[in-house]
Amino acid sequence: PHVGDIAWDGYAAIAQELGEDLINARPDVVGANTAYGVIAHVVGVAGRWARTVNLGTVVSRDRIGSP
């Protein structure tokens, strides 16, 4: 299997194991994100990387203050 497939399968397994309540729970640590937030970030970064670096497509950021 491709290393990317192993990673995605791992994220899916973690999400399923946590279930809806825990995946959306924010740890009691200042600035911490939910597991869902971390997974969503990783998926978004991978998609952006694949489009911009691999395909050369310009993808604008959707956050204030980001180029």
Side-chain angles (χ1 to χ4, degrees):
H2 186 274
V3 68
D5 293 333
I6 294 169
W8 298 133
D9 289 347
Y11 283 120
I14 290 167
Q16 288 177 336
E17 184 177 325
L18 287 172
E20 286 189 36
D21 290 336
L22 288 178
I23 199 167
N24 291 304
R26 188 178 304 274
D28 191 21
V29 177
V30 175
N33 291 310
T34 65
Y36 177 86
V38 173
I39 293 170
H41 172 76
V42 171
V43 170
V45 167
R48 186 173 196 274
W49 179 267
R51 291 185 307 274
T52 59
V53 174
N54 297 339
L55 299 177
T57 304
V58 175
V59 179
S60 63
R61 304 277 310 260
D62 63 356
R63 296 189 306 183
I64 296 171
S66 295

